[in-house]
Amino acid sequence: MRSGPSGRSGQGFSALQEPTTPQPVLRRLTTGRVARISDRGAQAAAYQGANQYDLGLFNEYRIIETIRQAGTISRTEISEQTGLTQQAVSRILRTLLDRGLVAEAEQERAERLGKPRTPVRLRAEAAYAAGVLVDPESLTCVLADLDGEVIQRRRLSLTARTSPSRLVAEIDKRIAAMIRAAAIAPASFLGVGVATPGPITPDGELLDLPLSEAWRNVPLRQLLAERLNCPVVVDKDGQAAAIGERWIGRTQRSGDFAFLYFGTGIGSGLVLNGDAYRGVSSNAGEFGQLCAIRTGNLDASGQPQLVRECNPTLALPAIAKELGYRGTATSYREMCAEVGAGDPAAVAAARQIADVISVGAVALIDLLDLPLVVVGGPAFEPELAEIMLTAISRAVNTAPTAHAARQVAVERSLLNEVGALGAASTIFHEAFTPSAGRAARP
């Protein structure tokens, strides 16, 4: 993960808890995942071996992952799916049961005679995380349990005048309020995940945000970690959504996929080999740049320029008017309603946007050979779903070079609170997802 507690005594939320998270989880969350490409020592560390403790944690996380995907599962099935011996599975499960992370379900009698099996499941109330979606126009905060169930939520409208210090204070205030309202045990709170438009640095500093000059070059992760006194991770909103989709989707999202995120513009997040792929600078998935290059939208020097269709919230009303829209809708959501009502100009504008997004989706499939594209986000309105999913599905299954070699599924996101819940899921993902790269830490 990108960061851990600052060690300082913060304000507000920090007074509500002590860092009493169980030690293996706390170690996982606070070790840090910032990969500085100029640091040769850090590069070399990636190739170091794992000690016995790390390998033990990897097996533990592998079992947690197997239980999470199944919902409930027997010890024998865990052994079969992980390749671990039944003795090893039983030993690790005893530890997880003692910690309260896992619970036993009701006994089930097998069809054949013999000892009844006792399935196990994750305890939803064993761990909680807060998720924060930072958008230039609004702030959305949720508190989620280990099953990804949102148990508290808070929202606040923001303006261009909202300062970084006020942003941090408002996040602090809402997380504290959610934790008090939910009355959760301090030891079960793992940290705060933040989703924001990119680009960002690996350590959670906001760079050239497209729609909020006041927040540019703000070290958001550092400010929040100092204020909240708990682990904090900052991810691009599209990547956070992909992580949330993987966590909540269980077996439906257990493979590789790309998430096309409708938010402040169109972004994308990637899950490859069971893990989030962020890239060396945490900025993988710049979908707008990809569309600009594929559509030839370049300036005189050959640099890609913003493709307006990759910002549907602004493009849909503008394109509809250009195509002859004569109604009263002016906002994005009002125009989406016109799409749903079948207004010809509004529908044509939505199809034009879908065609451009499809070009970028084809590039992702050509590059990564993925079996699944998931589409969602706070700006992915229901009225757009059929047009977008149909256009993307048609494109990724006819245009890629190797389209005859595979069928690519295109599906709507399973998440309701895509951005904020995805942000909360980044905490669970970093704490519990098995990864050889994370097991072999310096």
Side-chain angles (χ1 to χ4, degrees):
M1 176 164 288
R2 313 266 202 287
S3 70
S6 64
R8 304 183 192 180
S9 176
Q11 306 173 36
F13 166 71
S14 60
L16 296 178
Q17 71 154 14
E18 295 298 323
T20 51
T21 307
Q23 283 304 308
V25 174
L26 187 62
R27 179 186 179 194
R28 178 70 168 269
L29 286 167
T30 59
T31 298
R33 297 186 64 228
V34 180
R36 305 188 186 282
I37 206 152
S38 60
D39 185 345
R40 293 189 180 183
Q43 291 182 20
Y47 296 97
Q48 291 179 354
N51 59 38
Q52 186 173 1
Y53 180 80
D54 284 325
L55 290 175
L57 282 181
F58 179 83
N59 288 337
E60 183 176 300
Y61 298 140
R62 185 71 186 90
I63 288 178
I64 291 172
E65 174 74 358
T66 303
I67 298 172
R68 180 190 69 80
Q69 289 193 9
T72 59
I73 189 171
S74 71
R75 289 161 170 80
T76 299
E77 290 167 330
I78 293 173
S79 177
E80 291 171 351
Q81 293 186 27
T82 61
L84 297 171
T85 65
Q86 292 200 31
Q87 293 85 350
V89 170
S90 295
R91 183 177 66 253
I92 293 173
L93 282 179
R94 279 196 300 271
T95 301
L96 298 178
L97 286 163
D98 289 343
R99 286 192 209 147
L101 189 62
V102 167
E104 291 184 326
E106 295 183 3
Q107 288 188 342
E108 299 177 358
R109 174 70 65 178
E111 292 182 1
R112 61 182 182 276
L113 295 178
K115 183 179 178 180
R117 70 174 196 166
T118 305
V120 293
R121 59 173 176 81
L122 292 183
R123 292 180 63 245
E125 65 274 23
Y128 298 87
V132 180
L133 175 61
V134 176
D135 185 88
E137 296 182 352
S138 64
L139 177 70
T140 304
C141 302
V142 301
L143 182 67
D145 64 21
L146 194 55
D147 273 347
E149 185 74 23
V150 174
I151 60 174
Q152 290 285 322
R153 58 173 54 81
R154 299 288 188 278
R155 289 189 175 90
L156 175 69
S157 295
L158 302 175
T159 70
R161 296 187 299 274
T162 302
S163 67
S165 60
R166 184 183 170 224
L167 176 66
V168 170
E170 295 293 353
I171 292 172
D172 179 13
K173 183 189 303 183
R174 278 151 184 78
I175 291 175
M178 291 190 300
I179 290 176
R180 282 194 299 267
I184 66 173
S188 66
F189 185 77
L190 299 186
V192 178
V194 181
T196 177
I200 61 176
T201 69
D203 198 34
E205 179 180 340
L206 309 185
L207 294 175
D208 295 327
L209 295 187
L211 299 178
S212 180
E213 293 185 7
W215 299 344
R216 292 180 181 177
N217 302 313
V218 170
L220 183 60
R221 189 221 55 81
Q222 178 184 344
L223 294 175
L224 284 172
E226 291 174 351
R227 177 101 180 194
L228 304 179
N229 194 30
C230 72
V232 175
V233 59
V234 174
D235 254 318
K236 289 172 57 179
D237 46 17
Q239 188 58 60
I243 293 171
E245 191 77 14
R246 179 193 176 277
W247 188 266
I248 307 302
R250 299 180 185 269
T251 54
Q252 293 183 68
R253 299 292 187 257
S254 60
D256 295 351
F257 65 89
F259 193 111
L260 297 187
Y261 180 84
F262 282 59
T264 304
I266 303 293
S268 66
L270 300 172
V271 171
L272 304 176
N273 297 321
D275 205 351
Y277 181 77
R278 296 179 171 98
V280 295
S281 71
S282 299
N283 286 294
E286 283 296 333
F287 191 79
Q289 293 284 87
L290 191 62
C291 286
I293 294 170
R294 287 297 294 260
T295 59
N297 192 28
L298 311 175
D299 62 20
S301 65
Q303 297 297 313
Q305 294 182 306
L306 178 64
V307 179
R308 66 171 180 169
E309 287 86 353
C310 286
N311 189 359
T313 55
L314 295 178
L316 183 61
I319 295 173
K321 289 180 181 179
E322 292 172 7
L323 295 177
Y325 174 72
R326 295 292 181 265
T328 59
T330 57
S331 72
Y332 174 67
R333 284 180 171 78
E334 288 172 343
M335 193 60 73
C336 287
E338 292 285 68
V339 173
D343 180 88
V347 170
R351 286 176 175 161
Q352 179 175 322
I353 292 171
D355 288 342
V356 172
I357 293 172
S358 297
V359 171
V362 169
L364 280 178
I365 298 303
D366 261 334
L367 181 65
L368 298 173
D369 195 20
L370 296 168
L372 173 64
V373 175
V374 178
V375 188
F380 190 63
E381 297 296 323
E383 297 89 347
L384 300 181
E386 182 178 356
I387 291 174
M388 296 294 168
L389 297 178
T390 299
I392 295 170
S393 179
R394 180 176 60 248
V396 298
N397 284 297
T398 58
T401 303
H403 66 270
R406 86 232 132 185
Q407 182 72 23
V408 180
V410 179
E411 300 177 4
R412 189 170 182 176
S413 172
L414 301 171
L415 278 64
N416 292 323
E417 300 273 2
V418 176
L421 182 54
S425 299
T426 63
I427 297 292
F428 300 135
H429 180 85
E430 298 299 333
F432 298 118
T433 299
S435 169
R438 264 172 273 174
R441 293 186 294 269

